[in-house]
Amino acid sequence: MDSSLQNDPDIAALEQAAARQRRKKLLIVGGVILILPLYWGMGFSSVRASLAEEGYTDIEVSPSGPFDWSFEGKKGASTCSGSVTRLPFSSSKSTFCYSIDASGRASGSLGTSKD
């Protein structure tokens, strides 16, 4: 490389701008890598807590996708299962509950909700 180009202030400014852009991109990628697992972990505890708040007991929550959670639990005498989708600004829930009375007759209900 020509020694006159090594000392050129315009070249140095371009190299510094390129380095700033690389740092900015690395910070964004690093932030995403850190935030997604945190959001996912908070989703697990948030889904579990909201189900407990609604009166579910014996709750088992498992991931079924990046933003989806499956659950099983009991609500009163009913056995329930369903799914919760938790996105950054909204959530929705689908449930199916059934119970069997003393005479052996089964009854069930479906439910959906969106926040």
Side-chain angles (χ1 to χ4, degrees):
M1 186 178 221
D2 188 5
S3 65
S4 64
L5 290 179
Q6 287 179 339
N7 297 327
D8 188 350
D10 292 334
I11 299 289
L14 287 172
E15 288 174 350
Q16 286 177 347
R20 278 193 297 273
Q21 287 296 322
R22 281 192 301 274
R23 270 186 254 132
K24 216 184 270 187
K25 289 177 184 176
L26 283 173
L27 284 173
I28 290 170
V29 168
V32 168
I33 288 171
L34 290 175
I35 288 173
L36 282 179
L38 182 63
Y39 180 78
W40 190 82
M42 286 173 44
F44 177 81
S45 60
S46 174
V47 166
R48 193 169 177 76
S50 68
L51 291 169
E53 188 176 289
E54 292 176 20
Y56 289 90
T57 58
D58 299 332
I59 304 167
E60 292 183 26
V61 178
S62 60
S64 57
F67 300 104
D68 300 319
W69 303 90
S70 299
F71 71 91
E72 292 181 359
K74 294 188 180 283
K75 189 171 187 179
S78 298
T79 301
C80 302
S81 63
S83 65
V84 176
T85 300
R86 185 175 177 271
L87 297 172
F89 299 106
S90 69
S91 65
S92 62
K93 180 175 67 168
S94 302
T95 59
F96 172 71
C97 295
Y98 69 92
S99 62
I100 300 174
D101 63 14
S103 65
R105 199 172 49 179
S107 63
S109 65
L110 292 172
T112 58
S113 66
K114 196 170 197 174
D115 295 334

